[in-house]
Amino acid sequence: MMRGSNSLIGAVNLITFLVSIPILGGGIWLASRANSTDCIRFLQWPIIIIALAIMLVSLAGFAGACYRVSWLLRLYLFAMFFVVVALIFFIVFAYAVTDRGHGEVVMNRAFLEYQLQDYSGWLKDRVSDPGYWGKISACLRDGKVCKGMRRFVRDQNTGILVQEPANVFYRRDLSPIQSGCCKPPTSCGYTYINETLWTATPGTVVIDQDCTRWSNNQQELCYECDSCKAGVLASIKHSWRKVSVINIVVLIILVIVYVAGCAAYRNAKRIDNDEPLGMPRMTKAQPSRFQF
């Protein structure tokens, strides 16, 4: 029976180790986007640390089950409790900081546009910080996120590849960063030349401050626009929501496995104490001091 209980505990730890792999994968995916797309390099570290903690704790519990080291099993149960709490905190935090903000539909456009005032909270303040935004915008430039927007179509008369016309561009589904950072807001009324080259229309009244921030310099574009910051926030929200779905599924599995591990450990302790399973623990009655 003791061997069976240890086998169950070992299986439980193996499951938790395997469950940590999707969490680690989500953290690595966020890290890859941080280097090329979102350019936010601090968000992925909590989830990577949680995944590594689950792996190490699971290995400790697995070793404790295989070699019947009780203190390792106690360490596993104690540490896994805090790991589960940390994962719950991270999921709640991720949803809280990405709760606000959404794209706005623009008439005769397939893509959405983003406004910084639609967002609020800690993440907006973090991204909007001038010092930190300088690093993000430099990352976006180095990642050449706008260069990938260029497309050519074949002219039906000559068969020659030409720049994508405006009516085709307006039907494209742009990413939040492409929409916010690589073109001026539609409200500016600028005339389309190509995906990253626009000219101001004479006599147009400028209301949006991003219109004055736009530049046809390919190293500047709208990287200093509020719409670009909003696009980054929208991209982060999309990425975090994807990872949070995986984390919620993993959390449910972890809780079930943790409860099973606690039950298996308790049964193993009862067997060590020669207590029958399913019976209440008996305590020795203290003799009365009064004799009748």
Side-chain angles (χ1 to χ4, degrees), residues 34-288:
N35 293 327
S36 60
T37 306
D38 296 338
C39 291
I40 303 294
R41 292 190 172 91
F42 64 90
L43 300 178
Q44 72 274 11
W45 291 116
I47 192 170
I48 290 177
I49 292 173
I50 290 174
L52 293 176
I54 294 174
M55 286 184 171
L56 292 176
V57 171
S58 299
L59 289 175
F62 189 79
C66 290
Y67 298 102
R68 298 185 61 180
V69 182
S70 59
W71 69 267
L72 275 179
L73 294 178
R74 288 194 296 269
L75 175 64
Y76 158 75
L77 295 175
F78 181 78
M80 187 58 71
F81 172 79
F82 287 99
V83 169
V84 169
V85 171
L87 185 57
I88 293 174
F89 175 80
F90 180 79
I91 292 172
V92 173
F93 173 76
Y95 272 94
V97 299
T98 59
D99 181 55
R100 301 289 183 86
H102 54 83
E104 297 182 354
V105 177
V106 182
M107 185 177 297
N108 298 325
R109 303 290 188 271
F111 50 78
L112 301 176
E113 293 192 341
Y114 302 87
Q115 301 292 329
L116 187 61
Q117 60 263 26
D118 292 338
Y119 296 84
S120 62
W122 171 83
L123 190 59
K124 174 192 174 183
D125 295 338
R126 175 69 170 170
V127 170
S128 301
D129 178 77
Y132 196 72
W133 178 250
K135 298 177 181 179
I136 296 176
S137 59
C139 171
L140 294 174
R141 291 188 186 92
D142 294 341
K144 297 179 173 58
V145 295
C146 297
K147 188 176 181 180
M149 291 179 61
R150 301 293 297 274
R151 288 186 182 178
F152 295 87
V153 296
R154 194 171 298 278
D155 188 276
Q156 295 180 352
N157 298 322
T158 63
I160 301 175
L161 291 177
V162 296
Q163 292 282 348
E164 181 181 57
N167 62 321
V168 176
F169 174 75
Y170 294 151
R171 294 197 300 267
R172 284 176 58 179
D173 183 19
L174 303 179
S175 71
I177 291 179
Q178 288 175 335
S179 177
C181 305
C182 305
K183 66 171 191 61
T186 301
S187 60
C188 298
Y190 286 2
T191 302
Y192 173 90
I193 305 299
N194 62 41
E195 294 85 349
T196 57
L197 187 64
W198 301 70
T199 58
T201 303
T204 302
V205 178
V206 175
I207 300 176
D208 194 335
Q209 291 298 317
D210 283 348
C211 300
T212 60
R213 299 184 182 115
W214 166 261
S215 172
N216 283 323
N217 184 328
Q218 298 300 296
Q219 291 299 314
E220 297 181 12
L221 298 179
C222 217
Y223 290 127
E224 297 303 322
C225 297
D226 286 345
S227 63
C228 188
K229 298 172 185 177
V232 170
L233 289 170
S235 183
I236 294 171
K237 177 179 180 178
H238 184 66
S239 300
W240 270 36
R241 288 299 171 91
K242 281 185 175 181
V243 174
S244 292
V245 171
I246 298 175
N247 289 344
I248 290 173
V249 175
V250 169
L251 176 64
I252 294 172
I253 297 174
L254 277 180
V255 171
I256 295 173
V257 169
Y258 180 75
V259 171
C262 289
Y265 177 75
R266 184 179 59 185
N267 289 337
K269 291 295 291 182
R270 285 180 175 179
I271 294 172
D272 274 346
N273 296 330
D274 294 326
E275 298 176 10
L277 295 178
M279 297 293 293
R281 181 173 297 182
M282 302 296 293
T283 57
K284 185 177 179 180
Q286 296 294 328
S288 174

